[in-house]
Amino acid sequence: MSYFDTASAAPLHPVARQALLAALDEGWADPARLYREGRRARLLLDAAREAAADAVGCRPDELVFTPSGTRAVHTGVSGAMAGRRRTGRQVVVSAVEHSSVLHAAEAYERVTVGVDRSGRVAAADFAAALRADTALACLQSANHEVGTVQPVAEAAALCRAAGVPLLVDAAQSLGWGRVEGEWSLLTASAHKWGGPSGVGLLVVRKGTRFAPQGPADERESGRAPGFENLPAIVAAAASLRAVREEAAREAVRLTALVDLIRSRVPRVVPDVEVVGHGTLRLPHLVTFSCLYVDGEALLTGLDRAGFSVSSGSSCTSSTLTPSHVLKAMGVLSEGNVRVSLPPGTAAEDVERFLAVLPGVVAEVRSALGAPSAASAGPGRQGGREPRESALVVDSLGKLCPIPVIDLARVIDDVPVGGLVTVLSDDEAARLDIPAWCEMRAHDYLGERPAEHGTAYTVRRRA
């Protein structure tokens, strides 16, 4: 079985395992106590904090350990907002932030800055959203779904000039290197770089107004109440140091493997859109979407073939809505696959994935009755004569990719310049029908409310 979902959780690094087992024997006591066992635990905690601070590029007294990355985000946002409550209640975020950041910002006046089709924020747009009552800005270092690296250093400089602290979610990138720039707060999660789950980092740089919210406690500067999970903290810090030592070498190797996937998938699988920035991206992550494919069926097929990957398609989500990241980018969401390679991934495993993928996609498309690539291009009528100048397709009650497949089946039934209107109540159609038009070189004319669902209108081009 090849595990290709390290962006969700990286396999436990061998150094983390060794440190965890050793700390279970040596770090079980209360580090706040003055007796021998407590002093020993305190030494382990201080050493872990110094190692983590060195990796981040901050002072040890600026960094605290939290029970998770999500907890670090919520503590960071609420503490920064409380510390600047006299400034205002506005929080500026990018449209592709991790859900933990978006949820934390919901308690305030959230202003969202859009991204381009690669998922990247324009620093100038980010700065333009700052106002006199902006208390905090949040920008991820790199996106968790498509791997696009954000202009953090530039955004941080603009935020500092405006007097607004910037919180950086560095969960996906910290294992690869420091986050540069004059940011004010930073969060991360150990299980993203090969540490144990249940350990997060929160950094609040000196000079940043911060008022911890929630239960009062003396531990971790009052920012993470409760007894420290010292063995996990020690393992997290040790593994962060270890992966950093390997990062430069692995980045070169994994970048080459990701480049192979990015270039070959569109050649061996018809009707695929590779998403995310082509060069400004994490070295181990690639995402692509397959037209006329059900995401859950695709992931299940790949799992049977021996590959663990993830997806942002709505059919793989409990909410049945497409990924907010793909939605913000305006790209195809159906049949979405995220491949994130763990360190040590063998080239042979990637080659095997590329050999298996076309058959799995073809099997899913066949089961859905999707049109073939040869018969679905613009101007190909397959011997059919156009019958109507306008058609309405009722896809109500059907989940994507079915509304898109229904559209593809009838587009040749109208003449060039003719209209097809698709009725759909699936949220994913709002993304996937325009994306289909772009891939198929037809004109998307927009949407309008219908008696039931939404009507999406397409004009056929030659």
Side-chain angles (χ1 to χ4, degrees):
M1 191 75 180
S2 296
Y3 181 76
F4 287 175
D5 194 24
T6 192
S8 292
L12 192 66
H13 195 282
V15 169
R17 183 183 300 276
Q18 295 168 6
L20 181 64
L21 293 175
L24 286 171
D25 292 331
E26 299 293 331
W28 49 268
D30 187 346
R33 298 295 174 241
L34 298 179
Y35 42 70
R36 181 177 57 188
E37 294 85 355
R39 294 197 305 273
R40 185 185 301 135
R42 169 56 64 180
L43 287 173
L44 289 173
L45 180 58
D46 289 346
R49 197 185 312 279
E50 289 175 5
D54 180 66
V56 171
C58 67
R59 294 169 37 161
D61 60 351
E62 294 175 327
L63 184 149
V64 299
F65 295 103
T66 64
S68 69
T70 296
R71 184 69 264 169
V73 166
H74 281 262
T75 300
V77 170
S78 64
M81 291 300 293
R84 287 173 51 82
R85 58 186 176 276
R86 293 182 180 178
T87 300
R89 289 180 52 81
Q90 190 199 67
V91 183
V92 173
V93 301
S94 83
V96 293
E97 294 300 307
H98 189 271
S99 59
S100 63
V101 175
L102 299 180
H103 289 319
E106 284 176 353
Y108 310 98
E109 297 173 9
R110 190 177 80 187
V111 174
T112 303
V113 179
V115 297
D116 61 20
R117 282 186 66 85
S118 74
R120 187 169 164 87
V121 174
D125 293 344
F126 201 76
L130 304 177
R131 305 186 316 214
D133 62 340
T134 303
L136 179 67
C138 302
L139 181 63
Q140 60 193 191
S141 55
N143 187 258
H144 50 291
E145 289 194 31
V146 300
T148 298
V149 173
Q150 302 295 351
V152 170
E154 187 179 354
L158 294 169
C159 286
R160 182 168 289 271
V164 177
L166 177 67
L167 183 150
V168 178
D169 170 17
Q172 289 295 334
S173 73
L174 193 60
W176 297 105
R178 290 181 176 179
V179 178
E180 301 300 330
E182 299 178 292
W183 47 264
S184 300
L185 303 97
L186 180 142
T187 63
S189 187
H191 74 280
K192 300 294 187 181
W193 67 67
S197 59
V199 180
L201 303 181
L202 170 61
V203 179
V204 182
R205 279 183 162 161
K206 295 297 181 182
T208 302
R209 291 185 176 274
F210 194 87
Q213 304 299 292
D217 199 337
E218 293 76 22
R219 297 178 187 273
E220 293 299 296
S221 304
R223 295 171 184 172
F227 198 95
E228 299 93 341
N229 184 353
L230 186 52
I233 288 172
V234 170
S239 59
L240 180 56
R241 174 180 288 175
V243 298
R244 280 291 189 82
E245 292 175 352
E246 306 162 354
R249 180 177 65 255
E250 277 298 293
V252 171
R253 204 176 62 81
L254 294 181
T255 295
L257 294 178
V258 166
D259 285 342
L260 178 64
I261 296 172
R262 290 180 65 91
S263 62
R264 189 179 297 178
V265 166
R267 297 204 305 265
V268 299
V269 180
D271 300 323
V272 164
E273 182 179 15
V274 179
V275 300
H277 203 284
T279 55
L280 300 175
R281 54 179 169 82
L282 293 171
H284 67 301
L285 196 155
V286 56
T287 302
F288 54 88
S289 298
C290 306
L291 199 61
Y292 311 134
V293 170
D294 174 85
E296 184 175 359
L298 179 56
L299 264 59
T300 300
L302 289 171
D303 182 53
R304 287 198 303 266
F307 295 96
S308 301
V309 298
S310 63
S311 172
S313 295
S314 60
C315 46
T316 66
S317 167
S318 59
T319 62
L320 294 180
T321 57
S323 151
H324 72 277
V325 172
L326 302 179
K327 185 176 181 180
M329 294 167 62
V331 298
L332 183 69
S333 72
E334 65 187 53
N336 180 259
V337 175
R338 181 185 69 180
V339 174
S340 49
L341 306 176
T345 298
E348 293 77 11
D349 290 339
V350 172
E351 289 286 358
R352 190 166 61 89
F353 172 78
L354 292 170
V356 164
L357 180 66
V360 175
V361 172
E363 181 180 343
V364 174
R365 285 174 171 166
S366 176
L368 292 173
S372 66
S375 64
R380 293 190 177 100
Q381 297 181 27
R384 300 195 312 244
E385 288 294 329
R387 298 191 305 267
E388 304 286 345
S389 60
L391 290 175
V392 176
V393 179
D394 186 353
S395 292
L396 295 170
K398 301 176 183 178
L399 298 179
C400 278
I402 300 302
V404 178
I405 292 175
D406 288 346
L407 169 60
R409 285 171 175 161
V410 303
I411 191 67
D412 289 336
D413 290 344
V414 299
V416 174
L419 304 180
V420 176
T421 298
V422 180
L423 303 178
S424 176
D425 50 9
D426 182 9
E427 179 68 20
R430 182 167 283 112
L431 285 180
D432 293 344
I433 290 177
W436 179 88
C437 289
E438 183 165 332
M439 296 174 74
R440 283 282 169 260
H442 294 297
D443 293 327
Y444 176 65
L445 302 184
E447 64 176 76
R448 67 180 188 278
E451 183 178 357
H452 299 288
T454 303
Y456 303 91
T457 302
V458 174
R459 176 189 290 123
R460 181 187 168 187
R461 294 172 59 185

